[in-house]
Amino acid sequence: QQVFGQGLVTTVNDFGVMGTAPSHPELLDYLAQDLIRQEWSLKSLIRKMVLTRTYQMSTEPSLAALEQDPGNRLLQHRSIRRLDAEAVRDNLLAASGSLDRTLFGESVPAYVESHPDSRAKPKRRGPVDGAARRSVYQELRRNFLPPLLTAFDMPNGTEPIGVRHSTNVPAQSLALLNDPFVHLQAEHWAKALATAPQSLQDRINQMHLIAFARPATADEFTWASKVLETMAAEHDTPIDAVEPWTDLCHLMFNRKEFIYLL
């Protein structure tokens, strides 16, 4: 489920008679037996899956696939997936270049300034960027969940959940537009790009490589150049100032390809 977006048994909370039957029972048996042979190594299991042709297929289905298997239960193409809430946050940090990749250590106190004041509000409060550490190291308080993560369907933390919801709602676009953490990461990324010694085209291309793992197209280069010119005029600054690059970085964060695996 974590690798492909759906499990061979879709009811991951119920493998009993009330659950759904596996889509590929022989494959399920093979993977289970192989896991035992590899001494229960999950790394070995994940490596085996991601090196398959099935994992590397395009997300564009054939007409026959759409007609015979519209839900893609048979895995004849890759399904488009949205990143989990924590991965969206980590992706913002990674793209801006501010991600702290340090392993282990204490959790970072929760950022609670966006919540209304109350007697329950913790006195020990963390920074808006969570010290730039990965989401797994962020302290979570059930009464003060981070709005950005909850907008992207992070569970409430009070009960186990086998399959997260993966919605596409206006609140997510509003969060990427207005959340102070997103604004901060756009500014971090912009400062590095505005002062980079590369040409404008190389910087725009580098943005797309970082955000989407692919180079910019000719249309995207034209679009990004026009955005920089327009925002430079709006801010009354040169095109290489931080302000127009911040606006462009913010727009890059708000493109669907940034939060979806296409």
Side-chain angles (χ1 to χ4, degrees):
Q1 175 183 300
Q2 292 298 319
V3 173
F4 285 93
Q6 63 180 18
L8 296 177
V9 177
T10 56
T11 53
V12 296
N13 285 333
D14 187 356
F15 281 6
V17 295
M18 299 300 291
T20 59
S23 57
H24 302 71
E26 295 86 356
L27 175 59
L28 184 59
D29 286 342
Y30 167 77
L31 291 174
Q33 292 166 4
D34 187 67
L35 179 61
I36 297 171
R37 284 194 296 269
Q38 298 299 326
E39 298 181 346
W40 304 95
S41 171
L42 293 180
K43 287 185 178 180
S44 175
L45 178 64
I46 293 171
R47 184 183 299 112
K48 187 179 294 290
M49 287 190 286
V50 299
L51 292 177
T52 61
R53 188 175 65 88
T54 303
Y55 182 79
Q56 298 169 24
M57 287 194 298
S58 167
T59 55
E60 294 186 13
S62 65
L63 293 177
L66 287 175
E67 182 179 345
Q68 298 173 26
D69 183 26
N72 196 28
R73 285 285 288 136
L74 301 180
L75 302 178
Q76 15 65 14
H77 65 276
R78 285 296 306 278
S79 297
I80 295 176
R81 295 173 56 192
R82 203 207 69 210
L83 296 177
D84 287 340
E86 294 87 344
V88 171
R89 178 185 174 278
D90 291 355
N91 201 25
L92 289 164
L93 287 168
S96 71
S98 58
L99 178 64
D100 182 355
R101 300 176 185 271
T102 305
L103 298 178
F104 313 119
E106 295 184 1
S107 60
V108 181
Y111 174 74
V112 296
E113 299 304 327
S114 59
H115 294 272
D117 289 329
S118 69
R119 288 184 297 175
K121 208 169 186 178
K123 295 180 180 179
R124 183 169 174 258
R125 304 174 184 181
V128 63
D129 68 343
R133 300 204 69 195
R134 289 173 55 202
S135 299
V136 70
Y137 295 112
Q138 303 302 308
E139 176 188 79
L140 285 180
R141 291 180 172 264
R142 288 178 294 181
N143 294 332
F144 300 95
L145 294 175
L148 177 65
L149 299 191
T150 53
F152 285 95
D153 306 307
M154 185 188 74
N156 59 26
T158 61
E159 57 187 82
I161 181 168
V163 180
R164 289 190 181 190
H165 298 297
S166 184
T167 59
N168 181 22
V169 295
Q172 293 163 0
S173 296
L174 291 172
L176 289 175
L177 281 171
N178 300 317
D179 193 279
F181 169 77
V182 181
H183 282 265
L184 182 62
Q185 300 316 307
E187 186 176 353
H188 278 318
W189 196 9
K191 287 178 179 177
L193 289 166
T195 58
Q198 301 163 302
S199 67
L200 178 64
Q201 184 168 0
D202 286 342
R203 281 181 284 175
I204 292 174
N205 197 55
Q206 184 67 16
M207 290 183 76
H208 285 75
L209 286 171
I210 290 173
F212 310 138
R214 61 165 180 80
T217 65
D219 287 343
E220 287 171 330
F221 174 72
T222 302
W223 165 79
S225 301
K226 189 173 296 184
V227 168
L228 288 171
E229 293 172 1
T230 302
M231 299 318 298
E234 184 73 21
H235 292 290
D236 193 20
T237 63
I239 197 172
D240 281 333
V242 172
E243 289 83 357
W245 281 95
T246 300
D247 293 331
L248 178 58
C249 291
H250 199 183
L251 285 172
M252 292 289 285
F253 288 156
N254 279 270
R255 291 176 62 178
K256 286 297 185 184
E257 196 173 347
F258 189 77
I259 61 172
Y260 279 86
L261 301 176
L262 303 177

